[in-house]
Amino acid sequence: GNSVTQMEGPVTLSEEAFLTINCTYTATGYPSLFWYVQYPGEGLQLLLKATKADDKGSNKGFEATYRKETTSFHLEKGSVQVSDSAVYFCALSEHGNNRLAFGKGNQVVVIP
Amino acid sequence: NAGVTQTPKFQVLKTGQSMTLQCAQDMNHEYMSWYRQDPGMGLRLIHYSVGAGITDQGEVPNGYNVSRSTTEDFPLRLLSAAPSQTSVYFCASSPTVDRGNQPQHFGDGTRLSIL
């Protein structure tokens, strides 16, 4: 079946540091890939997406590239801000349905 | 522009009680779904619906029932609550069953505690 694996543990970093969150996936066929962000006390919001190999999704300074050869969709941001503190989820959906499979999420804490 | 509205935001139940978590969307979305979020587990799909009158099971359906009588509403029912159902529940919707490319819109969640 489909599955998403995110790197273990919370991420703590200083303001203006570089952020990387690793995401790898297992899927049959060619899934669409997503990053969602959850701010405290809120629901999930779409951060970015990519629907085919080599696509790059980007939004609010975050980027992720759909790498079919390594089955990865790593999230990066060059200079984080305190306001980026949140939980980040990698997810995939199969072509032909909208069911999402989520990774476990990573808590990101940005310190001033 | 309300989006996806979930009620209640918080609820405490006793073991064995029943309740319905409400979800409504005003975007005329065909696809709706329920997830539960548990620490260290990410989100897991409970039930989903591809349109009015059509529902199906997700990854963790046991102990939950759903129905979809209208496009707008997708309630989740717990018939006999158990402590293992303590969780945060999210409802989501998306425009079409369109090859899985459409991102989903999430409600703010219902935090449910079963004593």
Side-chain angles (χ1 to χ4, degrees):
Chain A
N2 299 331
S3 66
V4 176
T5 302
Q6 290 182 234
M7 51 192 282
E8 292 289 329
V11 178
T12 303
L13 59 168
S14 299
E15 203 165 22
E16 299 184 1
F18 184 87
L19 170 68
T20 299
I21 304 176
N22 290 340
C23 171
T24 57
Y25 67 89
T26 302
T28 55
Y30 302 98
S32 294
L33 301 173
F34 306 87
W35 277 100
Y36 284 86
V37 59
Q38 183 180 31
Y39 299 102
E42 298 183 9
L44 279 70
Q45 304 173 23
L46 178 69
L47 181 60
L48 53 84
K49 72 173 187 177
T51 59
K52 61 183 186 296
D54 299 325
D55 268 1
K56 177 185 284 188
S58 61
N59 186 26
K60 300 181 181 179
F62 290 90
E63 293 183 341
T65 301
Y66 189 142
R67 301 287 188 198
K68 181 169 175 284
E69 64 276 12
T70 55
T71 61
S72 64
F73 192 55
H74 305 321
L75 183 68
E76 296 181 338
K77 186 175 185 182
S79 177
V80 294
Q81 305 300 313
V82 172
S83 57
D84 294 324
S85 297
V87 181
Y88 292 81
F89 292 95
C90 186
L92 71 80
S93 65
E94 297 175 8
H95 279 210
N97 70 68
N98 285 19
R99 287 176 292 179
L100 283 171
F102 284 90
K104 294 183 179 180
N106 286 103
Q107 174 82 50
V108 172
V109 177
V110 180
I111 300 170
Chain B
N1 189 9
V4 179
T5 302
Q6 290 184 238
T7 56
K9 293 189 184 302
F10 302 95
Q11 184 71 47
V12 178
L13 292 179
K14 294 180 180 178
T15 297
Q17 285 186 314
S18 63
M19 82 160 294
T20 299
L21 280 62
Q22 301 291 345
C23 175
Q25 53 91 8
D26 61 359
M27 298 172 282
N28 200 33
H29 286 174
E30 290 181 333
Y31 183 87
M32 296 186 74
S33 55
W34 279 100
Y35 294 86
R36 59 178 289 173
Q37 182 181 25
D38 300 296
M41 299 289 291
L43 278 77
R44 293 179 292 169
L45 181 65
I46 305 171
H47 286 284
Y48 65 98
S49 168
V50 300
I54 306 168
T55 63
D56 207 346
Q57 296 180 351
E59 181 184 357
V60 287
N62 292 341
Y64 307 96
N65 282 348
V66 292
S67 60
R68 183 96 179 271
S69 56
T70 66
T71 299
E72 294 78 18
D73 300 300
F74 191 45
L76 179 72
R77 298 183 184 85
L78 284 70
L79 297 180
S80 179
S84 61
Q85 294 178 304
T86 294
S87 188
V88 182
Y89 291 85
F90 288 100
C91 180
S93 71
S94 63
T96 62
V97 183
D98 175 23
R99 301 194 302 275
N101 291 341
Q102 295 290 344
Q104 296 191 29
H105 300 252
F106 284 81
D108 287 340
T110 294
R111 188 174 297 274
L112 183 62
S113 294
I114 315 295
L115 304 178

